[in-house]
Amino acid sequence: MNNYEVRKLFPILDQEVNGHPLVYLDSAATSQKPVQVIEVLDEYYREYNSNVHRGVHTLGTRATDRYEEAREKVRKFINALSTEEIIFTRGTTTALNTVAISFGMENLNEDDEIVISYMEHHSNIIPWQQLAKRTGAKLKYIPLQEDGSISLEVARETITSKTKIVSIMYVSNVLGVINPIKELAAIAHENGAIMVVDGAQAAPHMKIDVRDLNCDFFAFSGHKMCGPTGIGVLFGKREHLEKMEPIEFGGEMIDFVGLQESTWKELPWKFEAGTPIIAGAIGLGAAIDFLEEIGPDNILEHEHHLAAYALEKMSSIEGLTIYGPKEAEKRAGVITFNLDDVHPHDVATVLDSEGIAIRAGHHCAQPLMKWLNVSSTARASFYLYNTEQDIDRLVDGLVKTKEYFTNVF
């Protein structure tokens, strides 16, 4: 299936915005959905909408089967050992908070350290800040290299025997940097720490093998990988999950309730309180089927090609600064930039008038913005449905933006 055939499977892309054919370059924020996912969601609500695990009637049984089939699809997608290690959550943020609260509060004290990096998304900063405040642990940051990457040598200097948790994003949502998670996990384990991975920007774009990475926890969201909003996954090694206590209570996670004490169900259900995100999980399963058909390696190869093409084309625009590695193979399909003397929001507004959707702001990465010595940036992010023509439209739009503000001022 070539790129243009893939694009036809996304009905939202077949429209005009402000009188121009839509060019969607904001997939790092949320991806568009193929017809296969849309149809599965429609089928659930039309044909077997029901709660799971609780009823013995036909609709309930069918919903339960599809929900648990989705869990197995997730397990295979990331190569986890067992479905007991797959927890459905509302998204990456919920998953990371679960680890910080459930694992962190029980295992950290004031003599311990938590290590993250300056490039992290707020969802992988604030939970650890709160954990540090509550336990007295110290929060440390791995300094970045000039191109925004992480040096393993510097990481070894930052991660010490006092470190109990290392939490790093696999792919930066700003710089596009692909971090050496396997090597960082090895360093963490050498020092007796666990390795937590924010995989929100990685799972949609490359092959994930949690056993090869040897990470302890891996979190990602469905809506960035062609799935519905409101569904995410926390993978955790069984040895950790079995010792952890739930942070939400009620509904399906309960085994027995007495007047004074209650007990929890076994993994994975003890972490899924209340009515779960049934349609979202089933939709995520359909998204995984779709991505597996395309092939994660093919997706990453396509993004590397688009990134190389975009870097070459955008570098020709005078006054445009691109952040992150200059080599396309060192980044995913994300290019963050600024145009001299033009605010990123103005850049995004002019591009939108041309039917081009990009993101502008701090991208939930204010510490990284400070490190870059900027308040905000513009960001174009590519996915499997984007083409070279989309990038040509972006470049033409940026040239028009520059000309417009040059003439105005």
Side-chain angles (χ1 to χ4, degrees):
M1 188 180 297
N2 64 45
N3 182 242
Y4 290 94
E5 291 174 336
V6 170
R7 186 183 181 89
K8 292 177 182 177
L9 297 174
F10 292 81
I12 197 172
L13 300 178
D14 186 24
Q15 66 172 297
E16 289 192 350
V17 172
N18 296 320
H20 300 274
L22 171 63
V23 173
Y24 186 77
L25 299 176
D26 195 22
S27 294
T30 196
S31 68
Q32 299 303 339
K33 322 306 175 192
V35 290
Q36 291 92 327
V37 172
I38 297 169
E39 289 172 354
V40 163
L41 292 170
D42 181 71
E43 179 187 38
Y44 168 74
Y45 284 117
R46 285 181 183 271
E47 299 183 12
Y48 61 100
N49 175 43
S50 181
N51 217 321
V52 295
H53 299 138
R54 302 172 188 178
V56 296
H57 56 75
T58 299
L59 297 188
T61 300
R62 186 178 177 190
T64 298
D65 289 345
R66 297 295 180 270
Y67 181 75
E68 293 301 335
E69 286 170 6
R71 197 188 306 273
E72 169 61 15
K73 291 177 183 180
V74 172
R75 183 204 67 78
K76 291 176 64 178
F77 185 69
I78 64 172
N79 196 31
L81 190 64
S82 167
T83 53
E84 295 177 340
E85 298 178 321
I86 305 300
I87 312 299
F88 285 126
T89 71
R90 292 194 302 274
T92 305
T93 299
T94 302
L96 293 170
N97 274 273
T98 298
V99 179
I101 297 170
S102 183
F103 181 91
M105 289 298 295
E106 291 296 321
N107 290 280
L108 268 69
N109 58 51
E110 61 183 9
D111 295 322
D112 298 326
E113 296 175 347
I114 307 161
V115 172
I116 60 176
S117 80
Y118 285 101
M119 75 175 72
E120 302 307 317
H121 189 280
H122 293 167
S123 293
N124 200 33
I125 296 176
I126 299 172
W128 309 118
Q129 288 178 343
Q130 294 300 308
L131 178 61
K133 288 180 179 179
R134 295 179 185 183
T135 62
K138 181 180 180 181
L139 182 60
K140 295 170 62 178
Y141 289 78
I142 300 175
L144 302 180
Q145 300 303 292
E146 186 176 350
D147 64 355
S149 63
I150 291 176
S151 160
L152 292 176
E153 181 180 350
V154 174
R156 288 189 181 93
E157 295 172 354
T158 310
I159 300 167
T160 72
S161 59
K162 291 185 177 182
T163 305
K164 292 295 182 289
I165 296 174
V166 178
S167 189
I168 303 292
M169 61 194 336
Y170 202 158
V171 174
S172 169
N173 69 310
V174 176
L175 303 173
V177 171
I178 302 174
N179 286 317
I181 293 298
K182 184 175 181 178
E183 291 78 6
L184 289 169
I187 296 170
H189 293 150
E190 287 168 8
N191 286 276
I194 65 161
M195 183 74 208
V196 182
V197 181
D198 173 355
Q201 298 293 339
H205 307 289
M206 62 182 67
K207 181 65 177 176
I208 303 298
D209 187 334
V210 293
R211 282 193 273 175
D212 180 62
L213 295 173
N214 197 20
C215 56
D216 297 275
F217 296 96
F218 190 99
F220 60 100
S221 298
H223 73 98
K224 296 182 189 293
M225 50 184 289
C226 298
T229 56
I231 183 70
V233 173
L234 172 63
F235 157 81
K237 286 184 177 178
R238 181 172 179 172
E239 63 194 78
H240 300 312
L241 293 176
E242 285 183 336
K243 297 175 184 177
M244 291 164 54
E245 286 294 305
I247 63 172
E248 293 184 312
F249 305 93
E252 193 56 35
M253 54 80 64
I254 295 166
D255 179 32
F256 174 80
V257 177
L259 294 178
Q260 302 296 329
E261 295 289 339
S262 299
T263 58
W264 321 135
K265 279 190 175 178
E266 65 274 17
L267 292 173
W269 302 291
K270 77 172 185 177
F271 288 102
E272 295 178 4
T275 296
I277 311 150
I278 304 167
I282 294 169
L284 175 57
I288 287 174
D289 289 340
F290 175 76
L291 295 178
E292 291 281 24
E293 182 180 355
I294 303 299
D297 291 339
N298 293 329
I299 294 171
L300 185 60
E301 181 182 357
H302 177 65
E303 289 188 23
H304 279 158
H305 170 74
L306 290 181
Y309 187 79
L311 286 168
E312 178 184 358
K313 294 289 185 178
M314 294 173 69
S315 295
S316 66
I317 301 174
E318 186 178 352
L320 188 138
T321 300
I322 296 174
Y323 304 100
K326 304 304 181 187
E327 303 87 355
E329 64 274 10
K330 291 185 178 180
R331 61 160 75 221
V334 175
I335 296 184
T336 297
F337 59 94
N338 270 328
L339 197 57
D340 284 357
D341 301 321
V342 184
H343 194 281
H345 288 157
D346 293 328
V347 172
T349 300
V350 175
L351 290 177
D352 182 61
S353 71
E354 297 287 323
I356 304 165
I358 68 164
R359 181 56 58 103
H362 55 62
H363 314 294
C364 297
Q366 287 176 296
L368 180 57
M369 294 296 109
K370 184 177 180 180
W371 184 83
L372 292 171
N373 198 30
V374 296
S375 61
S376 58
T377 61
R379 182 187 72 190
S381 51
F382 319 122
Y383 203 18
L384 71 171
Y385 39 67
N386 289 119
T387 65
E388 290 183 355
Q389 286 74 16
D390 290 339
I391 294 168
D392 291 338
R393 288 272 307 280
L394 170 66
V395 171
D396 289 343
L398 289 171
V399 171
K400 289 181 180 179
T401 303
K402 181 182 176 183
E403 291 174 350
Y404 173 79
F405 281 98
T406 299
N407 292 333
V408 168
F409 298 106

